[in-house]
Coordinates of all heavy atoms in Angstrom, one line a residue:
R286 N 59.1 43.2 73.9 CA 60.0 42.2 73.6 C 61.1 42.6 72.6 O 62.2 42.2 72.7 CB 59.2 41.0 73.0 CG 60.0 39.8 72.6 CD 59.1 38.7 72.1 NE 59.9 37.7 71.5 CZ 60.2 36.5 72.0 NH1 59.7 36.2 73.1 NH2 60.9 35.7 71.3
D287 N 60.8 43.5 71.7 CA 61.8 43.9 70.7 C 62.9 44.7 71.4 O 64.0 44.7 71.0 CB 61.1 44.8 69.6 CG 60.2 44.0 68.7 OD1 60.4 42.7 68.6 OD2 59.2 44.5 68.2
V288 N 62.5 45.5 72.4 CA 63.5 46.3 73.1 C 64.5 45.3 73.8 O 65.7 45.5 73.8 CB 62.8 47.2 74.1 CG1 63.8 47.9 75.0 CG2 62.0 48.3 73.4
I289 N 64.0 44.3 74.4 CA 64.8 43.4 75.2 C 65.7 42.6 74.2 O 66.9 42.4 74.5 CB 63.9 42.3 75.9 CG1 63.2 43.0 77.0 CG2 64.7 41.2 76.5 CD1 62.1 42.2 77.7
K290 N 65.3 42.3 73.0 CA 66.1 41.6 72.1 C 67.3 42.5 71.6 O 68.3 42.0 71.1 CB 65.3 41.1 70.9 CG 64.4 40.0 71.2 CD 63.5 39.6 70.1 CE 64.0 38.3 69.6 NZ 63.2 37.8 68.4
R291 N 67.1 43.8 71.6 CA 68.1 44.8 71.1 C 69.2 45.0 72.2 O 70.3 45.5 71.8 CB 67.5 46.1 70.7 CG 66.9 46.0 69.3 CD 66.4 47.4 68.9 NE 65.0 47.3 68.7 CZ 64.1 48.2 68.8 NH1 64.5 49.4 69.2 NH2 62.9 48.1 68.6
L292 N 68.9 44.7 73.4 CA 69.9 44.9 74.5 C 71.1 44.0 74.3 O 70.9 42.8 73.9 CB 69.3 44.7 75.8 CG 68.3 45.8 76.3 CD1 67.7 45.4 77.6 CD2 69.0 47.1 76.4
P293 N 72.3 44.4 74.5 CA 73.5 43.5 74.3 C 73.5 42.4 75.4 O 73.1 42.7 76.6 CB 74.7 44.4 74.5 CG 74.2 45.6 75.2 CD 72.7 45.7 74.9
K294 N 73.9 41.3 75.1 CA 74.1 40.2 76.0 C 75.3 40.4 76.9 O 76.3 41.0 76.4 CB 74.2 38.9 75.3 CG 73.1 38.6 74.3 CD 71.8 38.4 75.0 CE 70.7 37.9 74.1 NZ 70.0 39.0 73.5
L295 N 75.3 40.0 78.1 CA 76.4 40.2 79.0 C 77.4 39.1 79.0 O 78.3 39.1 79.8 CB 75.9 40.5 80.4 CG 75.0 41.7 80.6 CD1 74.6 41.9 82.0 CD2 75.8 43.0 80.2
R296 N 77.1 38.0 78.2 CA 78.0 36.9 78.2 C 79.4 37.3 77.7 O 79.6 37.7 76.6 CB 77.5 35.8 77.3 CG 76.3 35.1 77.9 CD 75.8 34.1 76.9 NE 74.4 34.4 76.6 CZ 73.9 34.5 75.4 NH1 74.7 34.3 74.3 NH2 72.7 34.9 75.2
G297 N 80.4 37.1 78.5 CA 81.8 37.3 78.1 C 82.2 38.8 78.0 O 83.3 39.1 77.7
H298 N 81.4 39.7 78.4 CA 81.7 41.1 78.3 C 81.8 41.7 79.7 O 81.0 41.3 80.6 CB 80.7 41.9 77.5 CG 80.6 41.5 76.1 ND1 81.6 41.8 75.2 CD2 79.7 40.7 75.4 CE1 81.2 41.3 74.0 NE2 80.1 40.7 74.1
M299 N 82.7 42.6 79.9 CA 82.7 43.3 81.2 C 81.5 44.2 81.4 O 81.2 44.9 80.4 CB 84.0 44.1 81.4 CG 85.3 43.3 81.5 SD 85.3 42.2 82.9 CE 85.0 43.3 84.2
S300 N 80.9 44.2 82.5 CA 79.8 45.0 82.7 C 79.9 45.7 84.0 O 80.8 45.5 84.8 CB 78.5 44.2 82.7 OG 78.4 43.4 83.8
L301 N 79.0 46.6 84.3 CA 79.0 47.3 85.6 C 78.8 46.3 86.8 O 79.1 46.6 87.9 CB 78.0 48.4 85.7 CG 78.2 49.5 84.7 CD1 77.0 50.5 84.7 CD2 79.5 50.2 85.0
F302 N 78.1 45.2 86.5 CA 77.8 44.2 87.5 C 78.8 43.1 87.7 O 78.6 42.2 88.4 CB 76.4 43.6 87.2 CG 75.4 44.7 87.0 CD1 74.9 44.9 85.7 CD2 74.9 45.5 88.0 CE1 73.9 45.9 85.5 CE2 74.0 46.5 87.8 CZ 73.5 46.7 86.6
A303 N 79.8 43.2 86.9 CA 80.9 42.1 87.0 C 81.6 42.2 88.3 O 81.8 43.3 88.8 CB 81.8 42.2 85.8
P304 N 82.1 41.1 88.8 CA 83.0 41.2 90.0 C 84.3 41.9 89.7 O 84.6 42.2 88.6 CB 83.2 39.7 90.3 CG 83.0 39.0 89.0 CD 82.0 39.8 88.3
N305 N 85.0 42.2 90.8 CA 86.2 43.0 90.7 C 87.2 42.3 89.7 O 87.3 41.1 89.7 CB 86.8 43.2 92.0 CG 86.1 44.3 92.8 OD1 85.3 45.0 92.3 ND2 86.5 44.4 94.1
L306 N 87.8 43.1 89.0 CA 88.8 42.7 88.0 C 90.2 42.6 88.7 O 90.5 43.5 89.5 CB 88.9 43.7 86.9 CG 89.8 43.5 85.7 CD1 89.3 42.2 84.9 CD2 89.8 44.7 84.8
V307 N 90.9 41.6 88.4 CA 92.3 41.4 89.0 C 93.2 41.5 87.8 O 93.2 40.6 86.9 CB 92.5 40.1 89.8 CG1 93.9 40.0 90.3 CG2 91.5 40.1 91.0
V308 N 94.1 42.5 87.8 CA 95.1 42.6 86.7 C 96.4 42.1 87.1 O 96.9 42.5 88.2 CB 95.2 44.1 86.3 CG1 96.2 44.3 85.2 CG2 93.9 44.7 85.9
A309 N 97.0 41.2 86.3 CA 98.3 40.6 86.7 C 99.5 41.4 86.1 O 99.4 41.8 84.9 CB 98.3 39.2 86.2
V310 N 100.5 41.7 86.9 CA 101.7 42.3 86.5 C 102.8 41.3 86.9 O 102.9 40.9 88.0 CB 101.9 43.7 87.2 CG1 103.2 44.3 86.8 CG2 100.8 44.6 86.9
T311 N 103.7 41.0 85.9 CA 104.8 40.1 86.2 C 106.0 40.7 86.8 O 106.2 41.9 86.7 CB 105.2 39.4 84.9 OG1 105.7 40.3 84.0 CG2 104.0 38.7 84.2
L312 N 106.8 39.9 87.4 CA 108.1 40.4 87.9 C 109.0 40.9 86.8 O 109.8 41.8 87.1 CB 108.8 39.3 88.7 CG 108.1 38.9 90.0 CD1 108.8 37.7 90.6 CD2 108.1 40.0 91.0
K313 N 108.9 40.3 85.6 CA 109.8 40.8 84.5 C 109.4 42.2 84.2 O 110.3 43.1 83.9 CB 109.5 39.9 83.3 CG 110.2 38.6 83.3 CD 110.0 37.9 82.0 CE 110.7 36.5 82.0 NZ 110.5 35.8 80.7
D314 N 108.1 42.6 84.2 CA 107.7 44.0 84.0 C 108.2 44.9 85.0 O 108.7 46.0 84.7 CB 106.2 44.1 83.9 CG 105.6 43.4 82.7 OD1 106.3 43.3 81.7 OD2 104.4 43.0 82.7
L315 N 108.2 44.5 86.3 CA 108.7 45.3 87.4 C 110.2 45.5 87.2 O 110.7 46.6 87.5 CB 108.4 44.6 88.7 CG 107.0 44.5 89.1 CD1 106.8 43.9 90.5 CD2 106.2 45.8 89.1
A316 N 111.0 44.5 86.8 CA 112.4 44.6 86.7 C 112.8 45.5 85.5 O 113.8 46.3 85.6 CB 113.0 43.2 86.4
R317 N 111.9 45.6 84.5 CA 112.2 46.4 83.4 C 111.9 47.9 83.6 O 112.6 48.8 83.1 CB 111.4 46.0 82.1 CG 112.1 45.0 81.3 CD 111.4 44.7 80.0 NE 110.6 43.5 80.3 CZ 109.5 43.2 79.7 NH1 109.0 43.9 78.7 NH2 108.8 42.1 80.0
H318 N 110.9 48.2 84.4 CA 110.4 49.5 84.6 C 110.7 50.2 85.9 O 110.5 51.4 86.0 CB 108.8 49.6 84.4 CG 108.4 49.2 83.0 ND1 108.2 48.0 82.6 CD2 108.2 50.0 81.9 CE1 107.8 48.0 81.3 NE2 107.9 49.2 80.9
F319 N 111.2 49.5 86.9 CA 111.5 50.1 88.2 C 113.0 49.9 88.5 O 113.6 48.9 88.1 CB 110.7 49.4 89.3 CG 109.2 49.8 89.2 CD1 108.3 49.0 88.5 CD2 108.7 50.9 89.9 CE1 107.0 49.4 88.4 CE2 107.4 51.2 89.9 CZ 106.5 50.5 89.1
T320 N 113.5 50.8 89.3 CA 114.9 50.7 89.7 C 114.9 50.4 91.2 O 113.9 50.5 91.9 CB 115.7 52.0 89.5 OG1 115.0 53.1 90.1 CG2 115.7 52.3 88.0
T321 N 116.1 50.2 91.8 CA 116.2 49.8 93.2 C 115.7 50.9 94.1 O 116.0 52.1 93.9 CB 117.7 49.5 93.5 OG1 118.1 48.4 92.6 CG2 117.9 49.1 94.9
G322 N 114.9 50.5 95.1 CA 114.4 51.4 96.1 C 113.1 52.1 95.7 O 112.5 52.8 96.6
E323 N 112.5 51.8 94.6 CA 111.3 52.4 94.2 C 110.1 51.7 94.8 O 110.2 50.5 95.2 CB 111.1 52.4 92.7 CG 111.9 53.5 92.0 CD 111.4 53.6 90.5 OE1 111.9 52.8 89.7 OE2 110.6 54.5 90.2
I324 N 109.0 52.4 95.0 CA 107.8 51.8 95.6 C 106.9 51.4 94.4 O 106.6 52.2 93.5 CB 107.1 52.8 96.5 CG1 108.0 53.1 97.7 CG2 105.7 52.3 96.9 CD1 107.5 54.2 98.6
V325 N 106.4 50.1 94.5 CA 105.5 49.6 93.5 C 104.1 49.6 94.1 O 103.8 49.0 95.1 CB 105.8 48.2 93.1 CG1 104.8 47.6 92.1 CG2 107.2 48.1 92.5
S326 N 103.2 50.4 93.6 CA 101.8 50.5 94.0 C 100.9 50.7 92.8 O 101.5 50.9 91.7 CB 101.7 51.7 95.0 OG 101.8 52.9 94.2
P327 N 99.6 50.6 92.9 CA 98.8 50.7 91.8 C 99.0 52.1 91.1 O 98.9 52.2 89.9 CB 97.4 50.6 92.3 CG 97.6 49.7 93.5 CD 98.9 50.0 94.1
A328 N 99.2 53.1 91.9 CA 99.4 54.5 91.3 C 100.7 54.5 90.5 O 100.7 55.1 89.4 CB 99.4 55.5 92.4
T329 N 101.8 54.0 91.0 CA 103.0 54.0 90.2 C 103.0 53.1 89.0 O 103.6 53.4 88.0 CB 104.2 53.6 91.1 OG1 104.0 52.3 91.6 CG2 104.5 54.6 92.2
L330 N 102.2 52.0 89.1 CA 102.1 51.2 87.9 C 101.3 51.9 86.8 O 101.5 51.7 85.6 CB 101.4 49.9 88.3 CG 102.2 48.9 89.1 CD1 101.3 47.8 89.7 CD2 103.3 48.3 88.4
A331 N 100.3 52.7 87.2 CA 99.5 53.5 86.3 C 100.4 54.6 85.6 O 100.3 54.9 84.4 CB 98.3 54.1 86.9
K332 N 101.2 55.2 86.4 CA 102.1 56.2 85.9 C 103.1 55.7 84.9 O 103.4 56.3 83.9 CB 102.9 56.9 87.0 CG 102.2 57.9 87.8 CD 103.1 58.5 88.9 CE 102.3 59.4 89.8 NZ 103.1 60.0 90.9
K333 N 103.6 54.5 85.1 CA 104.5 53.8 84.2 C 103.8 53.1 83.1 O 104.4 52.4 82.3 CB 105.5 52.9 84.9 CG 106.3 53.7 85.9 CD 107.5 52.9 86.4 CE 108.2 53.7 87.4 NZ 109.5 54.1 86.9
Q334 N 102.4 53.2 83.0 CA 101.6 52.6 82.0 C 101.6 51.1 81.9 O 101.5 50.5 80.8 CB 101.9 53.3 80.6 CG 101.6 54.7 80.6 CD 101.9 55.4 79.3 OE1 102.5 54.8 78.4 NE2 101.5 56.6 79.1
L335 N 101.9 50.5 83.0 CA 101.8 49.0 83.1 C 100.3 48.6 83.3 O 99.9 47.5 83.0 CB 102.7 48.5 84.2 CG 104.2 48.6 84.0 CD1 104.9 48.2 85.2 CD2 104.6 47.8 82.8
V336 N 99.5 49.5 83.9 CA 98.1 49.2 84.2 C 97.4 50.5 83.8 O 97.8 51.6 84.2 CB 97.9 48.9 85.7 CG1 96.4 48.7 86.0 CG2 98.7 47.6 86.0
S337 N 96.2 50.4 83.2 CA 95.5 51.6 82.9 C 94.7 52.1 84.1 O 94.3 51.3 85.0 CB 94.5 51.3 81.8 OG 93.4 50.5 82.2
A338 N 94.5 53.4 84.2 CA 93.8 54.0 85.3 C 92.3 53.5 85.3 O 91.7 53.4 86.4 CB 93.9 55.5 85.2
A339 N 91.7 53.3 84.2 CA 90.3 52.8 84.1 C 90.2 51.4 84.7 O 89.2 51.1 85.4 CB 89.9 52.8 82.7
T340 N 91.2 50.6 84.5 CA 91.2 49.3 85.0 C 91.4 49.3 86.6 O 90.7 48.5 87.3 CB 92.4 48.4 84.4 OG1 92.2 48.4 83.0 CG2 92.3 47.0 84.9
L341 N 92.1 50.2 87.1 CA 92.3 50.4 88.5 C 91.1 50.8 89.2 O 90.9 50.4 90.4 CB 93.4 51.4 88.8 CG 94.9 50.9 88.5 CD1 95.8 52.0 88.9 CD2 95.2 49.7 89.3
R342 N 90.2 51.5 88.6 CA 88.9 51.9 89.2 C 88.0 50.7 89.4 O 87.2 50.7 90.3 CB 88.2 52.9 88.4 CG 88.9 54.3 88.5 CD 88.0 55.3 87.8 NE 87.9 55.2 86.4 CZ 88.6 55.9 85.5 NH1 89.5 56.8 86.0 NH2 88.5 55.6 84.2
R343 N 88.2 49.7 88.6 CA 87.3 48.5 88.7 C 87.9 47.3 89.4 O 87.2 46.4 89.7 CB 86.9 48.0 87.3 CG 85.9 48.9 86.6 CD 85.4 48.3 85.4 NE 86.5 47.8 84.6 CZ 86.4 47.6 83.3 NH1 85.2 47.7 82.7 NH2 87.4 47.2 82.6
G344 N 89.2 47.3 89.6 CA 89.8 46.1 90.1 C 91.1 46.4 90.9 O 91.4 47.5 91.3
E345 N 91.8 45.3 91.1 CA 93.1 45.3 91.9 C 94.2 44.8 91.0 O 94.0 44.2 90.0 CB 92.9 44.4 93.1 CG 91.8 44.8 94.0 CD 91.7 43.8 95.2 OE1 91.2 42.7 94.9 OE2 92.0 44.2 96.3
V346 N 95.4 45.0 91.5 CA 96.6 44.6 90.8 C 97.2 43.4 91.6 O 97.3 43.4 92.9 CB 97.7 45.7 90.8 CG1 99.0 45.3 90.1 CG2 97.1 46.9 90.0
K347 N 97.7 42.4 90.9 CA 98.3 41.2 91.5 C 99.7 41.0 90.9 O 99.8 41.0 89.7 CB 97.5 40.0 91.3 CG 98.0 38.8 92.1 CD 97.0 37.7 92.1 CE 97.4 36.6 93.1 NZ 96.4 35.6 93.3
I348 N 100.7 40.9 91.7 CA 102.1 40.7 91.3 C 102.3 39.2 91.2 O 102.1 38.5 92.1 CB 103.1 41.3 92.2 CG1 102.8 42.8 92.5 CG2 104.5 41.2 91.7 CD1 102.9 43.7 91.4
I349 N 102.7 38.7 90.0 CA 102.8 37.3 89.7 C 104.2 37.1 89.1 O 104.9 38.0 88.7 CB 101.7 36.7 88.9 CG1 101.8 37.3 87.5 CG2 100.4 36.9 89.5 CD1 100.9 36.6 86.5
G350 N 104.6 35.8 89.0 CA 105.8 35.5 88.3 C 106.8 34.7 89.0 O 106.7 34.6 90.3
S351 N 107.7 34.1 88.3 CA 108.7 33.3 88.9 C 110.1 33.7 88.4 O 111.1 33.0 88.6 CB 108.5 31.8 88.6 OG 108.4 31.6 87.3
A352 N 110.2 34.8 87.7 CA 111.5 35.3 87.2 C 112.4 35.8 88.3 O 111.9 36.2 89.3 CB 111.2 36.4 86.1
Q353 N 113.6 35.8 88.1 CA 114.6 36.3 89.0 C 114.5 37.8 89.0 O 114.4 38.5 88.0 CB 116.0 35.8 88.7 CG 116.2 34.3 88.9 CD 115.8 33.9 90.3 OE1 116.2 34.6 91.3 NE2 115.1 32.8 90.5
L354 N 114.7 38.4 90.2 CA 114.6 39.9 90.3 C 115.9 40.4 90.9 O 116.4 39.8 91.9 CB 113.4 40.2 91.2 CG 113.0 41.7 91.3 CD1 112.5 42.2 89.9 CD2 111.9 41.8 92.3
S355 N 116.5 41.4 90.3 CA 117.8 41.9 90.8 C 117.7 43.3 91.5 O 118.7 43.8 92.0 CB 118.8 41.9 89.7 OG 118.3 42.8 88.7
V356 N 116.5 43.8 91.5 CA 116.3 45.2 92.1 C 115.4 45.0 93.4 O 114.5 44.2 93.4 CB 115.6 46.1 91.2 CG1 116.5 46.5 90.0 CG2 114.3 45.6 90.6
A357 N 115.8 45.8 94.4 CA 115.1 45.7 95.7 C 113.9 46.7 95.6 O 114.1 47.9 95.5 CB 116.0 46.1 96.8
L358 N 112.7 46.2 95.6 CA 111.5 47.0 95.5 C 110.6 46.9 96.8 O 110.6 45.9 97.4 CB 110.7 46.6 94.3 CG 111.3 46.6 92.9 CD1 110.5 45.9 91.9 CD2 111.6 48.0 92.6
T359 N 109.8 47.9 97.0 CA 108.8 47.9 98.1 C 107.5 47.8 97.4 O 107.1 48.7 96.6 CB 108.9 49.2 98.9 OG1 110.2 49.2 99.5 CG2 107.9 49.1 100.1
V360 N 106.7 46.8 97.7 CA 105.4 46.6 97.1 C 104.3 47.0 98.1 O 104.3 46.5 99.2 CB 105.2 45.1 96.6 CG1 103.8 44.9 96.0 CG2 106.3 44.7 95.6
Q361 N 103.4 47.9 97.7 CA 102.3 48.4 98.6 C 101.0 48.2 97.9 O 100.9 48.5 96.7 CB 102.5 49.8 98.9 CG 103.7 50.1 99.8 CD 103.8 51.6 100.1 OE1 103.2 52.4 99.4 NE2 104.5 52.0 101.1
D362 N 100.0 47.9 98.6 CA 98.6 48.0 98.2 C 98.3 47.1 96.9 O 97.5 47.4 96.1 CB 98.1 49.4 97.8 CG 98.3 50.3 99.0 OD1 98.1 49.8 100.2 OD2 98.5 51.5 98.8
C363 N 99.1 46.0 96.8 CA 98.9 45.1 95.7 C 98.7 43.7 96.3 O 99.3 43.4 97.3 CB 100.1 45.1 94.7 SG 100.4 46.6 93.9
L364 N 98.0 42.8 95.5 CA 97.9 41.4 95.9 C 99.2 40.8 95.3 O 99.8 41.4 94.4 CB 96.7 40.8 95.2 CG 95.4 41.3 95.6 CD1 94.3 40.7 94.7 CD2 95.1 41.1 97.0
I365 N 99.7 39.7 95.9 CA 100.9 39.1 95.5 C 100.9 37.6 95.7 O 100.3 37.2 96.7 CB 102.1 39.8 96.3 CG1 103.4 39.4 95.7 CG2 102.0 39.5 97.7 CD1 104.6 40.3 96.2
T366 N 101.5 36.9 94.8 CA 101.5 35.4 95.0 C 102.7 35.1 96.0 O 103.6 35.9 96.1 CB 101.8 34.7 93.6 OG1 103.0 35.2 93.1 CG2 100.7 35.0 92.6
P367 N 102.6 34.0 96.6 CA 103.6 33.6 97.6 C 105.0 33.5 97.0 O 106.0 33.9 97.5 CB 103.1 32.3 98.2 CG 101.7 32.3 98.0 CD 101.4 33.1 96.7
S368 N 105.1 32.9 95.7 CA 106.4 32.8 95.1 C 106.9 34.1 94.7 O 108.1 34.4 94.8 CB 106.2 31.9 93.9 OG 105.4 32.5 92.9
A369 N 106.1 35.1 94.2 CA 106.6 36.4 93.9 C 107.1 37.1 95.1 O 108.1 37.9 95.1 CB 105.5 37.2 93.2
R370 N 106.3 37.0 96.2 CA 106.7 37.6 97.5 C 108.1 37.1 97.9 O 109.0 37.9 98.4 CB 105.7 37.4 98.5 CG 106.0 38.1 99.8 CD 104.9 37.9 100.8 NE 105.2 38.6 102.1 CZ 104.3 38.7 103.0 NH1 103.1 38.2 103.0 NH2 104.7 39.4 104.1
Q371 N 108.3 35.8 97.8 CA 109.6 35.2 98.2 C 110.7 35.8 97.4 O 111.8 36.1 97.9 CB 109.5 33.7 98.1 CG 110.7 33.0 98.7 CD 110.5 31.5 98.5 OE1 109.7 31.0 97.8 NE2 111.2 30.7 99.4
I372 N 110.5 35.9 96.1 CA 111.5 36.4 95.2 C 111.8 37.9 95.5 O 113.0 38.3 95.5 CB 111.1 36.2 93.7 CG1 111.1 34.7 93.4 CG2 112.0 37.0 92.7 CD1 110.4 34.4 92.1
I373 N 110.8 38.7 95.7 CA 111.0 40.1 96.1 C 111.8 40.2 97.3 O 112.7 41.0 97.4 CB 109.7 40.8 96.1 CG1 109.1 41.0 94.7 CG2 109.8 42.2 96.8 CD1 107.7 41.5 94.7
E374 N 111.5 39.4 98.4 CA 112.2 39.5 99.6 C 113.6 39.0 99.5 O 114.5 39.5 100.2 CB 111.4 38.8 100.7 CG 110.1 39.5 101.1 CD 109.3 38.7 102.1 OE1 109.5 37.5 102.3 OE2 108.3 39.3 102.6
K375 N 113.8 38.0 98.7 CA 115.2 37.5 98.4 C 116.1 38.5 97.8 O 117.3 38.6 98.0 CB 115.1 36.2 97.6 CG 116.4 35.4 97.6 CD 116.3 34.2 96.7 CE 115.5 33.1 97.5 NZ 115.5 31.8 96.7
A376 N 115.4 39.4 96.9 CA 116.2 40.4 96.2 C 116.5 41.6 97.1 O 117.1 42.6 96.7 CB 115.4 40.9 95.0
G377 N 115.9 41.6 98.4 CA 116.2 42.7 99.3 C 115.0 43.7 99.4 O 115.1 44.7 100.1
G378 N 113.9 43.4 98.7 CA 112.7 44.2 98.8 C 111.8 43.8 99.9 O 112.1 42.9 100.7
Q379 N 110.6 44.4 100.0 CA 109.7 44.1 101.0 C 108.3 44.3 100.5 O 108.0 45.0 99.6 CB 109.9 44.9 102.3 CG 109.7 46.4 102.1 CD 110.0 47.2 103.3 OE1 110.1 46.6 104.4 NE2 110.0 48.5 103.2
Y380 N 107.3 43.6 101.2 CA 105.9 43.7 100.9 C 105.2 44.3 102.0 O 105.3 43.9 103.2 CB 105.4 42.3 100.6 CG 103.9 42.3 100.4 CD1 103.3 42.9 99.3 CD2 103.0 41.6 101.3 CE1 101.9 42.9 99.2 CE2 101.7 41.6 101.2 CZ 101.1 42.2 100.1 OH 99.8 42.2 99.9
V381 N 104.5 45.4 101.8 CA 103.8 46.2 102.8 C 102.3 46.1 102.5 O 101.9 46.5 101.4 CB 104.2 47.6 102.9 CG1 103.4 48.4 104.0 CG2 105.7 47.7 103.1
K382 N 101.5 45.6 103.4 CA 100.0 45.5 103.1 C 99.4 46.8 103.1 O 99.6 47.8 103.6 CB 99.3 44.6 104.1 CG 99.4 43.2 103.7 CD 98.4 42.4 104.5 CE 98.3 41.0 103.9 NZ 97.5 40.2 104.6

């Protein structure tokens, strides 16, 4: 019983058994760190330090936001909200699953 009491509780903490983590990246961050024609993927987000590599091993990236975008980007291998997808396509970019 003493050993069990010393184990940390899993309430509120990330554990190995937690479901996949979804990391949100806003359109404002994409506009600041990417230029026209670049590909936005989890690997490029990690290179630009918008998402940590350790987080990518446990989860997925989701593009969110309602800010205006002036650069045409290609988004690959990321989850995306419908409003963010519409804004990216309106700016001349595209979403590739």
